[in-house]
Structures are given as C-alpha cells and as structure tokens.
Amino acid sequence: MHPVLIDFGTVRLFGQEFPLVIGSYGVMMAISLLLGLWLVNRWGKQVYPEAPWTDIVMGTFIAGFIGAKLANAVVFWRELATGQMSLIGVLRGGGVWLGGALLGTAYCIAMLRRHRMEIGASSDVFFTVVPLAHGLGRIGCLLGGCCYGSACDLPWAITYTDPLAAKYNGTPLNVPLHPTPVYEFLLEMANFAVCYALWRRRPRGGTVAGTWVLLYGVERFFLEFLRSDPRGQYGPLTTSQWISLAMVAAGTALLLKVQRAAAGAPAGASAPAARRRPR
C-alpha cells in the first residue's frame, strides 16, 4: 500500500523528529470530512434551516480528534508510566477511533443543546452520515497500514510490503493478514444503507442514532477478534470491545426510549414538521 503520498522530509521539535508528509490516511480523512460536512449541511438545513451546522460539524471533528489521541494515551498508559514511550510519541501516533467518537458525540450534543435544537432529530442527521464518512476513512487505514488484522491464509488476505507502514504503524510486513479495514468499510456501507433508508422514512428523533450506535457496537466487538494492532487489553477484552459493549447498551436503551415515546404519543403524531426527505 502507500502510507505516504508525498514526503517533504522531517523537522525536529522538542527533541523529536516529525515527518513532513502528505499521507494517504490524512487525504482520506480530509475527503470523508468534506463529504460529511456537505451532507450534514444539506440534510441538517431540512431540520433546522438557520442552525450553524458547519460550526457544529467542525467543532465535533476537532473534539473527536482530541478524544482519539487521549484514548490512545490511555491504551499505552503502561508504556508511558514505565518510560518505554514518550507522551509526544504516543500523541504523534495514531488514535483510537471509538475514543474520538465518544468525545465528539459529547461535544455535538452540548452544541445542539446550546442552540436549542431537538437532540433526537438533529443527531439523526449526523448518524445518517457517520457510517459513510467513517467507512471512507477506513480506506485511509487500508492504504496507510494501520488497524491491520491478524495473520491468516485466506485467499483475500492482504500482505503489506512498504517499510513506511512498519515504521509509522508497526504493520507486520510480508505476512498475509485479515484486511480488517476492508471488512469495516463494507460493514459501514451496509450500516449507511440502513441508516439512510431509516432517515428517508422520517422516523421519530433518535431512531437513526440509536440504530447506528447499536449496529456499530456489535460490528466492532466482533471485528476486534480479527485485529492485531495494539489497542490495550483490560481483562478478557480490548479497550475497544469494552467501549463496543457500552455502545450496544446505549443504542438499545435509546431505541427502547424512542419506542416508548412513540407508544405514548397521540394518534397521528409525526416527526418534526421541519424535516423533509433528503434530496
């Protein structure tokens, strides 16, 4: 694969060397962010035309980036405590996507409350787009060599050979691996199809959000058994698996809450009047 598209050399700061490169992962992240921003703006204005959707999306992305880095520090806390790794080195490395999702979601909800937007209907806009943007981001993982799978002898196994993948991500070279980024891309495209179909039906607020949180929690829990990159181990499960179980519980609780609200609503009650089918 091609973890680095353009290499400008390195710069030394605080005793650490930082590569000045344009990486395939960063390019795919930028594409997914721009596409997500466009879709959230387009569909969000059908719910709240005057809301600052661009500001909310960008703030959510920044919070998610910080959350992913902080979660990465938690994963490697033992190495940090024993001096095997430096904090700068950990923060310079990858991130834990689920950690970013948690902090990003918390920030997004806070902003929706601040602007007095109904949480359920507004969050459904985001969670219709999330699986699409996230799936595209996993293509960046595939190109960069991160989030790699365990060794296997399947006919669709992927074998990395680029030394930069090993240097930046610790990717095993010349070993057939499960293409876990491809698995996740395909599953997220399926999740997007489900979430988009729900969105077009104009469901009660929170339905799409609860559906994706539940689906992704299940998906990620089982995918973890096929991954081989370090993500921290707490008891019998990885950090991501514990978070996935929490997502399954949260998604189930949200869907049950939506169902109870629908059962108690007056006959003929529908979704917010401002919502229309996406075009």
Side-chain angles (χ1 to χ4, degrees):
M1 293 301 169
H2 304 282
V4 173
L5 300 178
I6 303 177
D7 190 344
F8 297 101
T10 60
V11 61
R12 191 171 185 83
L13 293 173
F14 308 110
Q16 296 281 332
E17 285 192 350
F18 293 86
L20 297 176
V21 300
I22 295 178
S24 50
Y25 179 83
V27 170
M28 289 306 302
M29 284 295 293
I31 291 173
S32 63
L33 172 62
L34 292 174
L35 177 61
L37 178 61
W38 177 69
L39 287 176
V40 169
N41 267 291
R42 177 175 176 140
W43 295 345
K45 290 186 181 302
Q46 297 176 21
V47 182
Y48 288 102
E50 304 302 322
W53 289 102
T54 298
D55 292 347
I56 296 174
V57 171
M58 294 305 298
T60 299
F61 177 80
I62 293 171
F65 179 82
I66 294 173
K69 293 297 183 180
L70 292 176
N72 202 43
V74 171
V75 167
F76 291 104
W77 73 269
R78 292 186 180 90
E79 289 80 359
L80 288 170
T82 57
Q84 299 176 49
M85 299 180 68
S86 68
L87 180 60
I88 291 179
V90 170
L91 296 180
R92 187 180 66 182
V96 178
W97 191 87
L98 284 173
L102 291 175
L103 189 58
T105 298
Y107 174 88
C108 182
I109 290 175
M111 290 300 99
L112 295 178
R113 292 186 183 278
R114 177 181 177 183
H115 294 286
R116 299 180 180 179
M117 300 161 66
E118 199 272 311
I119 301 297
S122 302
S123 63
D124 279 354
V125 176
F126 280 93
F127 285 101
T128 300
V129 177
V130 161
L132 175 62
H134 180 219
L136 291 176
R138 285 308 189 197
I139 298 300
C141 296
L142 176 68
L143 296 173
C146 64
C147 306
Y148 49 86
S150 56
C152 70
D153 57 0
L154 296 169
W156 57 82
I158 183 171
T159 302
Y160 288 95
T161 58
D162 194 323
L164 291 177
K167 177 181 178 181
Y168 294 136
N169 301 306
T171 313
L173 301 182
N174 304 309
V175 178
L177 306 172
H178 276 288
T180 45
V182 176
Y183 298 162
E184 195 156 3
F185 167 77
L186 294 174
L187 288 169
E188 280 293 71
M189 292 304 100
N191 290 345
F192 171 67
V194 171
C195 291
Y196 183 71
L198 286 173
W199 166 259
R200 287 184 60 84
R201 293 172 56 189
R202 294 179 290 177
R204 183 169 293 273
T207 301
V208 177
T211 298
W212 180 82
V213 171
L214 173 60
L215 287 176
Y216 187 72
V218 173
E219 165 195 322
R220 183 61 183 270
F221 180 85
F222 288 104
L223 275 176
E224 284 292 295
F225 291 112
L226 300 178
R227 285 179 59 168
S228 186
D229 57 320
R231 292 167 315 289
Q233 190 83 18
Y234 294 90
L237 303 176
T238 67
T239 306
S240 296
Q241 283 178 315
W242 287 116
I243 297 175
S244 296
L245 290 177
M247 290 180 71
V248 171
T252 302
L254 179 54
L255 289 175
L256 289 174
K257 180 179 179 181
V258 170
Q259 186 179 42
R260 286 195 297 268
S270 60
R275 180 177 294 182
R276 298 191 298 273
R277 292 181 183 273
R279 297 190 297 271

